[in-house]
Amino acid sequence: MSDPAAFESRLEKRSEFRKQPVGHSRQGDFIKCVEQKTDALGKQSVNRGFTKDKTLSSIFNIEMVKEKTAEEIKQIWQQYFAAKDTVYTVIPAEKFDLIWNRAQSCPTFLCALPRREGYEFFVGQWTGTELHFTALINIQTRGEAAASQLILYHYPELKEEKGIVLMTAEMDSTFLNVAEAQCIANQVQLFYATDRKETYGLVETFNLRPNEFKYMSVIAELEQSGLGAELKCAQNQNKT
């Protein structure tokens, strides 16, 4: 099992990640290139395994649940998805508003997914209320043809009346399992809904000052939060 330092040394061997002085334009250009290519996520034809125009009304009767309380709707949502292999949650309106407002100025970010050997980076791109993720290596090798591997669907239809936003997801199971998708989804709240200026500062730096962005800061923040520890433990137990 490798540690983050070993992972960083592997990254440095790739031309895109060779050590540059802070502020060197090459990393900034690379991130801008990634962001431009990531813009295509969500704008291309839907891949096998993903639902085109996945609306809230396609999941349940909105008019029927409007008579329910927020807590009752939360229970219905959780019961509906409990037996399905997917990610889902109910987000309080205030937290979603914070995430949404920040996403308008910083629509792209990087998440680190623990793997058996180090970490793998995934790039997230907001497209309306959908948040599309694909592996960084996928963008590097396929460019604008890189397909979404995970989509988080946010439904704010009940936000004003009930004070909640419903979320569920679809993933390409050839690349991600539910636990891995959940780890990525948790990082959306970790980085976009945080009260810590330093944590959200990473998102701002990635979007606004890419020359100053340090990839290892994402891993450090993830490890400090403990979000990846459970997944890492499960992966180690599954080693044969």
Side-chain angles (χ1 to χ4, degrees):
M1 183 179 74
S2 61
D3 59 16
F7 176 71
E8 184 175 25
S9 71
R10 287 205 303 276
L11 278 183
E12 288 164 2
K13 291 175 185 175
R14 298 184 188 174
S15 60
E16 297 93 344
F17 292 96
R18 284 177 186 155
K19 275 203 180 299
Q20 303 285 353
V22 172
H24 192 285
S25 63
R26 183 167 182 174
Q27 173 167 293
D29 291 343
F30 174 62
I31 291 178
K32 286 300 178 190
C33 179
V34 166
E35 289 181 333
Q36 288 166 6
K37 290 175 179 177
T38 309
D39 279 341
L41 285 178
K43 296 176 183 175
Q44 50 193 284
S45 58
V46 177
N47 291 21
R48 181 172 55 85
F50 291 94
T51 307
K52 188 175 182 180
D53 300 324
K54 190 179 177 70
T55 61
L56 182 58
S57 58
S58 70
I59 300 174
F60 64 27
N61 188 323
I62 301 174
E63 293 305 315
M64 184 186 74
V65 300
K66 278 185 176 179
E67 298 177 7
K68 308 283 186 182
T69 66
E71 186 58 36
E72 287 172 333
I73 295 171
K74 181 178 180 179
Q75 290 176 0
I76 292 171
W77 191 253
Q78 291 172 337
Q79 288 169 3
Y80 178 83
F81 287 106
K84 301 180 186 298
D85 286 332
T86 192
V87 173
Y88 58 93
T89 193
V90 177
I91 306 170
E94 308 78 41
K95 181 177 284 189
F96 180 79
D97 284 341
L98 178 60
I99 294 171
W100 179 249
N101 289 334
R102 287 174 165 177
Q104 302 316 296
S105 56
C106 298
T108 310
F109 193 53
L110 208 64
C111 290
L113 183 66
R115 294 296 196 188
R116 289 182 182 180
E117 298 287 329
Y119 292 81
E120 182 177 13
F121 286 117
F122 278 74
V123 181
Q125 171 71 39
W126 287 88
T127 303
T129 54
E130 295 179 2
L131 182 48
H132 293 245
F133 286 94
T134 195
L136 178 58
I137 191 68
N138 199 24
I139 294 174
Q140 289 173 315
T141 56
R142 304 200 64 195
E144 292 183 3
S148 300
Q149 295 170 326
L150 169 67
I151 304 175
L152 304 183
Y153 302 96
H154 300 83
Y155 300 109
E157 285 91 331
L158 301 171
K159 182 168 75 76
E160 299 304 324
E161 194 175 337
K162 304 296 181 181
I164 55 175
V165 173
L166 305 173
M167 188 277 279
T168 187
E170 289 182 335
M171 71 206 75
D172 186 333
S173 58
T174 60
F175 292 98
L176 292 166
N177 61 35
V178 175
E180 290 165 345
Q182 184 68 64
C183 183
I184 292 174
N186 288 343
Q187 289 181 65
V188 177
Q189 298 206 23
L190 170 66
F191 288 106
Y192 278 90
T194 182
D195 292 328
R196 287 187 75 241
K197 186 178 179 181
E198 299 83 356
T199 305
Y200 178 61
L202 294 177
V203 182
E204 291 183 306
T205 302
F206 186 86
N207 284 268
L208 308 176
R209 300 180 303 280
N211 293 335
E212 302 171 20
F213 184 77
K214 294 180 174 61
Y215 293 81
M216 294 306 293
S217 299
V218 174
I219 293 175
E221 199 68 39
L222 178 65
E223 291 189 337
Q224 185 178 328
S225 73
L227 283 180
E230 192 174 318
L231 181 59
K232 199 79 173 172
C233 181
Q235 288 171 339
N236 290 335
Q237 287 176 351
N238 289 337
K239 280 186 177 181
T240 53

Short mmCIF file of all heavy atoms in Angstrom, two decimals, residues 54-55 91 96 99-100 103-104 125-132 151-157 159 165-168:
data_model
loop_
_atom_site.label_atom_id
_atom_site.label_comp_id
_atom_site.label_asym_id
_atom_site.label_seq_id
_atom_site.Cartn_x
_atom_site.Cartn_y
_atom_site.Cartn_z
N LYS A 54 -33.32 12.84 -16.52
CA LYS A 54 -33.80 12.15 -15.31
C LYS A 54 -34.49 13.16 -14.40
O LYS A 54 -33.84 13.84 -13.60
CB LYS A 54 -32.64 11.47 -14.59
CG LYS A 54 -33.07 10.54 -13.46
CD LYS A 54 -31.85 9.88 -12.81
CE LYS A 54 -32.22 9.01 -11.63
NZ LYS A 54 -32.94 7.80 -12.05
N THR A 55 -35.79 13.28 -14.53
CA THR A 55 -36.55 14.27 -13.77
C THR A 55 -37.07 13.67 -12.46
O THR A 55 -37.15 12.46 -12.30
CB THR A 55 -37.76 14.77 -14.57
OG1 THR A 55 -38.62 13.64 -14.84
CG2 THR A 55 -37.31 15.39 -15.90
N ILE A 91 -30.76 16.87 1.16
CA ILE A 91 -29.92 17.99 1.57
C ILE A 91 -30.79 19.13 2.09
O ILE A 91 -31.74 19.55 1.40
CB ILE A 91 -29.09 18.50 0.37
CG1 ILE A 91 -28.30 17.35 -0.26
CG2 ILE A 91 -28.14 19.62 0.81
CD1 ILE A 91 -27.64 17.72 -1.59
N PHE A 96 -27.84 23.36 0.56
CA PHE A 96 -27.84 23.32 -0.90
C PHE A 96 -27.64 24.71 -1.48
O PHE A 96 -26.92 24.88 -2.48
CB PHE A 96 -29.14 22.73 -1.44
CG PHE A 96 -29.18 22.67 -2.95
CD1 PHE A 96 -28.50 21.67 -3.64
CD2 PHE A 96 -29.84 23.65 -3.69
CE1 PHE A 96 -28.50 21.63 -5.03
CE2 PHE A 96 -29.85 23.62 -5.08
CZ PHE A 96 -29.18 22.60 -5.75
N ILE A 99 -23.98 25.42 -1.43
CA ILE A 99 -23.31 24.65 -2.48
C ILE A 99 -23.60 25.27 -3.85
O ILE A 99 -22.70 25.48 -4.66
CB ILE A 99 -23.77 23.18 -2.46
CG1 ILE A 99 -23.32 22.49 -1.17
CG2 ILE A 99 -23.25 22.42 -3.68
CD1 ILE A 99 -23.91 21.11 -0.96
N TRP A 100 -24.86 25.57 -4.10
CA TRP A 100 -25.30 26.07 -5.40
C TRP A 100 -24.67 27.42 -5.71
O TRP A 100 -24.18 27.67 -6.83
CB TRP A 100 -26.82 26.16 -5.43
CG TRP A 100 -27.38 26.68 -6.72
CD1 TRP A 100 -28.01 27.86 -6.93
CD2 TRP A 100 -27.37 26.02 -8.00
NE1 TRP A 100 -28.39 28.00 -8.24
CE2 TRP A 100 -28.01 26.87 -8.92
CE3 TRP A 100 -26.87 24.79 -8.44
CZ2 TRP A 100 -28.17 26.55 -10.26
CZ3 TRP A 100 -27.03 24.46 -9.78
CH2 TRP A 100 -27.67 25.33 -10.67
N ALA A 103 -21.10 26.99 -6.52
CA ALA A 103 -20.91 26.29 -7.81
C ALA A 103 -21.05 27.24 -9.00
O ALA A 103 -20.50 26.98 -10.07
CB ALA A 103 -21.91 25.15 -7.93
N GLN A 104 -21.78 28.35 -8.81
CA GLN A 104 -21.96 29.29 -9.91
C GLN A 104 -20.64 29.97 -10.28
O GLN A 104 -20.35 30.21 -11.45
CB GLN A 104 -23.01 30.36 -9.55
CG GLN A 104 -24.37 29.81 -9.19
CD GLN A 104 -24.84 28.70 -10.13
OE1 GLN A 104 -25.05 28.94 -11.32
NE2 GLN A 104 -25.00 27.50 -9.60
N GLN A 125 -17.88 18.53 -12.78
CA GLN A 125 -18.33 19.70 -13.53
C GLN A 125 -19.84 19.86 -13.35
O GLN A 125 -20.61 18.95 -13.65
CB GLN A 125 -18.00 19.54 -15.02
CG GLN A 125 -18.60 20.61 -15.93
CD GLN A 125 -17.94 21.96 -15.75
OE1 GLN A 125 -16.73 22.04 -15.59
NE2 GLN A 125 -18.71 23.03 -15.80
N TRP A 126 -20.26 21.02 -12.83
CA TRP A 126 -21.69 21.31 -12.70
C TRP A 126 -22.28 21.66 -14.05
O TRP A 126 -21.74 22.47 -14.79
CB TRP A 126 -21.92 22.48 -11.74
CG TRP A 126 -21.70 22.14 -10.29
CD1 TRP A 126 -20.53 22.20 -9.60
CD2 TRP A 126 -22.69 21.68 -9.37
NE1 TRP A 126 -20.72 21.81 -8.30
CE2 TRP A 126 -22.04 21.49 -8.12
CE3 TRP A 126 -24.07 21.42 -9.47
CZ2 TRP A 126 -22.72 21.04 -6.99
CZ3 TRP A 126 -24.74 20.99 -8.34
CH2 TRP A 126 -24.08 20.79 -7.12
N THR A 127 -23.41 21.02 -14.38
CA THR A 127 -24.18 21.33 -15.58
C THR A 127 -25.62 21.49 -15.13
O THR A 127 -26.33 20.51 -14.95
CB THR A 127 -24.07 20.21 -16.63
OG1 THR A 127 -22.69 20.00 -16.95
CG2 THR A 127 -24.83 20.57 -17.90
N GLY A 128 -26.04 22.72 -14.88
CA GLY A 128 -27.34 22.93 -14.24
C GLY A 128 -27.27 22.35 -12.83
O GLY A 128 -26.29 22.54 -12.10
N THR A 129 -28.30 21.57 -12.45
CA THR A 129 -28.30 20.95 -11.13
C THR A 129 -27.70 19.55 -11.15
O THR A 129 -27.74 18.83 -10.15
CB THR A 129 -29.73 20.89 -10.55
OG1 THR A 129 -30.58 20.24 -11.50
CG2 THR A 129 -30.26 22.29 -10.26
N GLU A 130 -27.14 19.16 -12.29
CA GLU A 130 -26.43 17.88 -12.38
C GLU A 130 -24.94 18.12 -12.16
O GLU A 130 -24.39 19.11 -12.62
CB GLU A 130 -26.64 17.23 -13.75
CG GLU A 130 -28.07 16.83 -14.04
CD GLU A 130 -28.23 16.21 -15.43
OE1 GLU A 130 -27.20 16.06 -16.15
OE2 GLU A 130 -29.37 15.91 -15.82
N LEU A 131 -24.32 17.20 -11.45
CA LEU A 131 -22.88 17.27 -11.24
C LEU A 131 -22.24 16.03 -11.84
O LEU A 131 -22.48 14.91 -11.39
CB LEU A 131 -22.58 17.37 -9.73
CG LEU A 131 -21.11 17.51 -9.30
CD1 LEU A 131 -20.39 18.58 -10.10
CD2 LEU A 131 -21.02 17.81 -7.81
N HIS A 132 -21.48 16.23 -12.91
CA HIS A 132 -20.88 15.13 -13.68
C HIS A 132 -19.43 14.93 -13.25
O HIS A 132 -18.67 15.89 -13.13
CB HIS A 132 -20.92 15.44 -15.18
CG HIS A 132 -22.30 15.47 -15.75
ND1 HIS A 132 -22.73 14.55 -16.70
CD2 HIS A 132 -23.36 16.28 -15.51
CE1 HIS A 132 -23.99 14.81 -17.02
NE2 HIS A 132 -24.39 15.86 -16.31
N ILE A 151 -22.93 10.67 -12.23
CA ILE A 151 -23.75 11.89 -12.29
C ILE A 151 -24.56 11.98 -11.01
O ILE A 151 -25.27 11.04 -10.64
CB ILE A 151 -24.71 11.90 -13.50
CG1 ILE A 151 -23.95 11.71 -14.81
CG2 ILE A 151 -25.50 13.22 -13.54
CD1 ILE A 151 -24.85 11.60 -16.05
N LEU A 152 -24.45 13.13 -10.32
CA LEU A 152 -25.29 13.41 -9.15
C LEU A 152 -26.43 14.31 -9.60
O LEU A 152 -26.19 15.39 -10.15
CB LEU A 152 -24.47 14.09 -8.05
CG LEU A 152 -23.21 13.38 -7.56
CD1 LEU A 152 -22.57 14.17 -6.42
CD2 LEU A 152 -23.50 11.96 -7.11
N TYR A 153 -27.65 13.85 -9.37
CA TYR A 153 -28.84 14.62 -9.77
C TYR A 153 -29.42 15.31 -8.52
O TYR A 153 -29.75 14.64 -7.55
CB TYR A 153 -29.91 13.70 -10.37
CG TYR A 153 -29.46 12.92 -11.58
CD1 TYR A 153 -28.98 11.62 -11.47
CD2 TYR A 153 -29.53 13.48 -12.86
CE1 TYR A 153 -28.59 10.89 -12.58
CE2 TYR A 153 -29.13 12.76 -13.98
CZ TYR A 153 -28.66 11.47 -13.84
OH TYR A 153 -28.28 10.75 -14.94
N HIS A 154 -29.56 16.63 -8.59
CA HIS A 154 -30.14 17.39 -7.48
C HIS A 154 -31.51 17.92 -7.90
O HIS A 154 -31.64 18.50 -8.97
CB HIS A 154 -29.23 18.56 -7.10
CG HIS A 154 -27.85 18.14 -6.65
ND1 HIS A 154 -26.84 17.85 -7.56
CD2 HIS A 154 -27.35 17.93 -5.42
CE1 HIS A 154 -25.76 17.50 -6.90
NE2 HIS A 154 -26.03 17.53 -5.60
N TYR A 155 -32.49 17.74 -7.03
CA TYR A 155 -33.87 18.16 -7.34
C TYR A 155 -34.35 19.21 -6.33
O TYR A 155 -34.72 18.88 -5.21
CB TYR A 155 -34.80 16.94 -7.32
CG TYR A 155 -34.42 15.88 -8.33
CD1 TYR A 155 -33.86 14.67 -7.93
CD2 TYR A 155 -34.58 16.11 -9.69
CE1 TYR A 155 -33.49 13.70 -8.86
CE2 TYR A 155 -34.22 15.14 -10.63
CZ TYR A 155 -33.68 13.94 -10.20
OH TYR A 155 -33.32 13.00 -11.12
N PRO A 156 -34.34 20.49 -6.75
CA PRO A 156 -34.75 21.56 -5.83
C PRO A 156 -36.24 21.91 -5.87
O PRO A 156 -36.65 22.91 -5.30
CB PRO A 156 -33.91 22.74 -6.33
CG PRO A 156 -33.75 22.49 -7.79
CD PRO A 156 -33.77 21.00 -8.00
N GLU A 157 -37.04 21.06 -6.53
CA GLU A 157 -38.47 21.38 -6.70
C GLU A 157 -39.21 21.61 -5.37
O GLU A 157 -40.17 22.37 -5.32
CB GLU A 157 -39.18 20.27 -7.48
CG GLU A 157 -38.87 20.26 -8.97
CD GLU A 157 -37.68 19.38 -9.32
OE1 GLU A 157 -36.77 19.22 -8.47
OE2 GLU A 157 -37.64 18.87 -10.44
N LYS A 159 -37.71 22.63 -2.54
CA LYS A 159 -36.84 23.41 -1.65
C LYS A 159 -37.59 24.54 -0.95
O LYS A 159 -37.48 24.69 0.28
CB LYS A 159 -35.65 23.98 -2.43
CG LYS A 159 -34.67 24.76 -1.57
CD LYS A 159 -33.38 25.04 -2.31
CE LYS A 159 -33.55 26.13 -3.34
NZ LYS A 159 -33.61 27.47 -2.71
N VAL A 165 -33.73 19.47 -0.51
CA VAL A 165 -33.37 19.17 -1.91
C VAL A 165 -33.02 17.69 -1.97
O VAL A 165 -32.23 17.19 -1.16
CB VAL A 165 -32.17 20.03 -2.37
CG1 VAL A 165 -31.70 19.58 -3.76
CG2 VAL A 165 -32.55 21.51 -2.40
N LEU A 166 -33.63 16.98 -2.90
CA LEU A 166 -33.41 15.54 -3.04
C LEU A 166 -32.25 15.28 -4.00
O LEU A 166 -32.10 15.98 -5.00
CB LEU A 166 -34.68 14.87 -3.54
CG LEU A 166 -35.94 15.13 -2.70
CD1 LEU A 166 -37.18 14.55 -3.38
CD2 LEU A 166 -35.79 14.57 -1.30
N MET A 167 -31.45 14.29 -3.68
CA MET A 167 -30.32 13.95 -4.55
C MET A 167 -30.24 12.44 -4.73
O MET A 167 -30.45 11.68 -3.80
CB MET A 167 -29.01 14.45 -3.94
CG MET A 167 -27.79 14.33 -4.87
SD MET A 167 -27.01 12.69 -4.87
CE MET A 167 -26.01 12.79 -3.38
N THR A 168 -29.96 12.03 -5.96
CA THR A 168 -29.63 10.64 -6.23
C THR A 168 -28.59 10.62 -7.34
O THR A 168 -28.16 11.67 -7.82
CB THR A 168 -30.86 9.80 -6.61
OG1 THR A 168 -30.47 8.42 -6.69
CG2 THR A 168 -31.45 10.23 -7.95
#
